[in-house]
Amino acid sequence: MPKPAQIADAAAAPPKNYMTPEGYARLKRELMHLLDVERPELVKVVSWAASNGDRSENGDYLYGKKRLREIDRRIHYLNKRLDKPEVVDPAARGDTDQVFFGATVDYIDSRGEEHRVTIVGVDEVDPARGHVSWISPIAKALLKRRAGDTVSLMTPAGPEDIEIAGVCYTAVAAEPAR
């Protein structure tokens, strides 16, 4: 029987931080851009604004300090997310019809409509592109199932049966330029 300390340790363990290589690269690029470009430029502006005297009514100074705090919070968040990621390359999975992290799954809902989702990390979610988190309800329903399986998906309207039409593993496409 497990001891209370073992149960507490298991409950306190942080969830895995799964990412695709593309998602990891995108977060790393954002972090480097904030550290190497945005933050240094903003520090210069804040220093210049501070040298102008009265800071209480200096818009450049006040806005700059606020933006600097936002950037520092984002840098802290990105550092934590990139600290111990589990980078999983879907293209390396091989030829299997079982659904795991990184899979692109085609499924048919109860109305006969076809859908396609790609299971990615929580930092890579993009519903417009069909990228869903591995902890989302649809991903949880699909994980470890195989092509041809029918699974029950809990929706706001109640349970819905969906049929897995196909499973493939390819590199997740990079985010389109904005």
Side-chain angles (χ1 to χ4, degrees), residues 51-68:
S51 69
N52 288 337
D54 185 14
R55 297 176 186 173
S56 65
E57 295 182 14
N58 185 332
D60 287 331
Y61 178 80
L62 295 174
Y63 173 76
K65 290 294 281 185
K66 179 181 179 221
R67 180 71 182 125
L68 202 52

Side-chain angles (χ1 to χ4, degrees), residues 93-128:
R93 172 63 67 179
D95 190 26
T96 181
D97 66 346
Q98 192 169 10
V99 180
F100 295 106
F101 179 86
T104 298
V105 182
D106 294 315
Y107 68 91
I108 302 168
D109 65 19
S110 60
R111 294 175 303 282
E113 296 175 10
E114 293 184 25
H115 302 274
R116 174 175 276 188
V117 294
T118 301
I119 301 172
V120 296
V122 294
D123 296 306
E124 304 173 75
V125 172
D126 186 353

Side-chain angles (χ1 to χ4, degrees), residues 97 107 142 144-151 162-165:
D97 66 346
Y107 68 91
L142 295 171
K144 298 186 181 174
R145 309 290 193 201
R146 295 185 178 278
D149 288 353
T150 299
V151 298
I162 60 174
E163 181 184 347
I164 301 174

Side-chain angles (χ1 to χ4, degrees), residues 68-104:
L68 202 52
R69 285 189 300 272
E70 292 169 355
I71 289 173
D72 286 343
R73 269 193 302 274
R74 184 67 180 167
I75 288 170
H76 178 73
Y77 173 79
L78 291 171
N79 275 326
K80 283 182 72 172
R81 297 303 295 164
L82 294 170
D83 185 34
K84 293 181 184 172
E86 297 275 338
V87 179
V88 179
D89 187 358
R93 172 63 67 179
D95 190 26
T96 181
D97 66 346
Q98 192 169 10
V99 180
F100 295 106
F101 179 86
T104 298

Side-chain angles (χ1 to χ4, degrees), residues 22-41:
E22 292 78 9
Y24 178 83
R26 183 182 57 79
L27 290 181
K28 191 73 168 172
R29 275 192 313 272
E30 181 183 357
L31 177 62
M32 291 297 100
H33 179 75
L34 289 173
L35 288 171
D36 297 340
V37 179
E38 281 194 48
R39 192 173 195 290
E41 288 176 4

